[in-house]
Amino acid sequence: MAARRPHTPAVPGKRFAVLDPATGEPFGEAPDQQPDELDAVVGRARDAWHGWRADPAARAGALLAAAGAVEAAGADLAPLLTREQGKPLAESYAEVARTAARLRWFAGLGAEPLTIADGRPVRSEIRWRPLGPVAAIVPWNFPLQLASAKFAPALAAGNTVILKPSPHTPLATRLLVSVLSAVLPKDVLTVVTGHEPLGARLAAHPGIRHVTFTGSAATGRAVARGAAASLARVTLELGGNDAAILLEDVDVERIADRLFWAAFRNCGQVCMAVKRVYAPARLCSDVAEALAQRARAAVVGPGLDPATRLGPLNNAAQLARVERCTARALADGARAVTGGGRPAGPGWFHSPTILADVPPGSPVVAQEQFGPVLPVLPYGSLDEAVEAANGTGFGLGGSVWGTDLDRAEEVAGRLECGTAWINHHAELSLAQPFAGVKESGVGVAGGPWGLHGNLAPFVLHRPEEG
Ligand code: NAD
């Protein structure tokens, strides 16, 4: 029997155009939902919550079915994701697979009650309760994967979810929710699409009990201010400016591929991409040249072309930001070892760029470039390198690269961030906590901590004798 092709349900009302980053041209439309629709949406999510929270075994079964449904829809989801996001098709398939894996992982995770035994003649039992309707607001760089990082734990915990994707990438998310709606009870997971102030009004809605947000630090602050009105719980996964520190004994050729893709995957639009490389001064030009070789060899093109390894930036504003950062670095005296601007032709492409001789205060070092441009910076002493790595407001990730693993571990332990890697970067397990420090975030996602981020403890005290 032929598989039923998923379709997204029609929403009456205005629509807005969705653009293909490889051409800059519109190719689809999404509902332009208005904030005054949110009362009804949140009300339905509240009603659906009572049934969804009641039966953990049924929930686990539904989430397992959801994982299977996502896998079965991969051939529909992945090309649509590439079309609106820009990433190479293989990366879209990987994102769909990760979305399914996350649903499966959280389906198997329960929050067991705990008993406190502290010598008192009382049995204190901690039970875990869901919070209510959750607002999940996500950016455009990994629309499906980041959405599932929010709705999989929230649903597994027994909450209902209203998901708001970026207006740059609404279509694959709408299709995903339609696929999931076939196996989840009605109104347990809803998607709303549209422009601001839709997200702001969702974050501030009095019926929402947890706002879980991924995006920029500036928007994160606005979301936290909005949620303060209802005192809903807030989880924020924000930006990063991750440094990679290369040690004196690093084998440059051995690590160059891994380091390059840790910076350039998804065209550098990764919160945990390597955004700055610090190398011992004597190795700096070798490192920059090894990375530049990879940049020259990387095939840049539309994500649907099977040869493409680097797609376009997702949107015109992001391309303009990357161009601004690069132009400013070059004006500040930096040298483009390769790249340095955008190629001729349509679409929001930017050549993969390796910069040397960049002044430390230049925005491409001090801020988050979020694109295919990487500065390689020299250091004199390791203390200097660690201080520079820690010297931004962000604290998402970091990495140390070298041959002596003990030495690398000692240096990695000094990084002020949520996750540090040795000879890798941005490799994440579903089982680990994911949290930034400083301005990179509030709260913890991932693993059992992600589940608990969606639960409240309920403590029952019972005396041993009446
Ligand atoms: P953004 O902050 O502009 O938008 C994120 C989401 O918030 C979008 O859905 C957007 O429509 C919505 N939004 C915009 N204004 C809002 C408001 N006032 N109230 C509520 N919602 C609002 O971010 P972006 O440009 O889409 O994504 C890039 C940023 O996301 C980068 O800074 C990147 O580092 C960060 N990011 C972080 C992580 C992480 O896990 N830490 C992961 C991916 C991306």
Side-chain angles (χ1 to χ4, degrees):
M1 198 175 68
R4 192 170 59 83
R5 279 182 82 80
H7 70 281
T8 47
V11 174
K14 271 176 40 184
R15 304 177 77 72
F16 64 92
V18 181
L19 308 185
D20 178 343
T23 61
E25 299 293 329
F27 78 98
E29 289 187 328
D32 195 7
Q33 290 177 265
Q34 301 302 310
D36 61 11
E37 296 175 44
L38 291 174
D39 283 350
V41 171
V42 175
R44 286 196 293 271
R46 176 104 206 159
D47 293 345
W49 181 46
H50 299 296
W52 181 246
R53 68 182 295 191
D55 187 346
R59 270 204 313 273
L63 292 175
L64 276 182
V70 172
E71 280 161 348
D76 294 299
L77 286 165
L80 185 56
L81 178 58
T82 286
R83 197 79 199 279
E84 67 177 353
Q85 203 286 331
K87 64 184 64 185
L89 192 54
E91 291 184 28
S92 288
Y93 273 104
E95 183 163 346
V96 173
R98 188 89 173 166
T99 300
R102 194 170 259 125
L103 280 162
R104 189 165 283 123
W105 198 84
F106 278 104
L109 197 65
E112 298 306 322
L114 299 171
T115 303
I116 296 175
D118 59 3
R120 290 174 304 151
V122 172
R123 180 163 63 82
S124 295
E125 190 179 275
I126 307 172
R127 300 173 188 170
W128 301 100
R129 289 181 164 177
L131 304 170
V134 172
I137 302 176
V138 295
W140 42 258
N141 58 340
F142 289 93
L144 304 187
Q145 197 169 312
L146 293 174
S148 71
K150 307 212 167 294
F151 66 65
L155 293 175
N159 304 288
T160 51
V161 177
I162 297 151
L163 174 61
K164 199 211 74 69
S166 164
H168 294 297
T169 51
L171 296 179
T173 308
R174 274 181 43 77
L175 182 57
L176 174 70
V177 172
S178 142
V179 166
L180 294 175
S181 298
V183 291
L184 296 176
K186 194 164 177 308
D187 296 327
V188 155
L189 175 65
T190 315
V191 58
V192 292
T193 58
H195 291 97
E196 283 314 304
L198 189 65
R201 292 278 287 279
L202 179 61
H205 196 284
I208 294 294
R209 297 316 310 147
H210 178 200
V211 184
T212 173
F213 169 84
T214 297
S216 62
T219 311
R221 285 190 181 88
V223 163
R225 279 194 296 273
S230 65
L231 292 175
R233 183 179 295 179
V234 174
T235 303
L236 303 175
E237 294 171 45
L238 307 176
N241 192 357
D242 292 9
I245 299 178
L246 275 51
L247 301 181
E248 279 286 347
D249 66 356
V250 71
D251 180 339
V252 176
E253 267 311 303
R254 185 151 179 229
I255 61 136
D257 277 339
R258 241 175 299 150
L259 180 61
F260 177 80
W261 286 110
F264 286 85
R265 186 169 69 97
N266 202 24
C267 208
Q269 301 164 118
V270 181
C271 56
M272 286 196 143
V274 168
K275 294 185 178 129
R276 302 171 283 156
V277 172
Y278 290 93
R282 73 172 182 87
L283 290 179
C284 228
S285 60
D286 289 355
V287 171
E289 188 45 46
L291 292 170
Q293 272 175 21
R294 273 80 188 166
R296 290 181 204 112
V299 178
V300 179
L304 289 177
D305 182 336
T308 292
R309 293 296 307 277
L310 275 176
L313 276 299
N314 171 257
N315 58 75
Q318 190 58 32
L319 172 62
R321 177 191 167 98
V322 171
E323 284 188 287
R324 251 189 338 266
C325 269
T326 309
R328 171 74 188 277
L330 295 173
D332 287 345
R335 179 169 56 86
V337 184
T338 188
R342 55 184 302 196
W348 298 315
F349 293 95
H350 192 284
S351 305
T353 297
I354 304 294
L355 296 175
D357 307 328
V358 188
S362 196
V364 77
V365 178
Q367 297 169 17
E368 186 186 28
Q369 68 273 43
F370 218 61
V373 179
L374 184 64
V376 180
L377 303 138
Y379 70 81
S381 72
L382 253 181
D383 285 346
E384 207 180 291
V386 171
E387 193 182 324
N390 291 338
T392 79
F394 290 122
L396 198 54
S399 54
V400 181
W401 304 68
T403 305
D404 179 342
L405 298 184
D406 291 337
R407 178 78 175 126
E409 184 175 333
E410 187 268 316
V411 178
R414 295 168 63 191
L415 295 178
E416 292 168 5
C417 55
T419 315
W421 295 268
I422 293 161
N423 293 338
H424 268 286
H425 202 106
E427 295 276 325
L428 296 171
S429 155
L430 293 172
Q432 76 179 70
F434 181 81
V437 298
K438 301 197 283 186
E439 290 170 28
S440 285
V442 171
V444 184
W449 302 271
L451 188 73
H452 278 275
N454 287 283
L455 289 165
F458 168 77
V459 186
L460 188 79
H461 287 265
R462 176 184 155 145
E464 280 173 0
E465 289 172 19

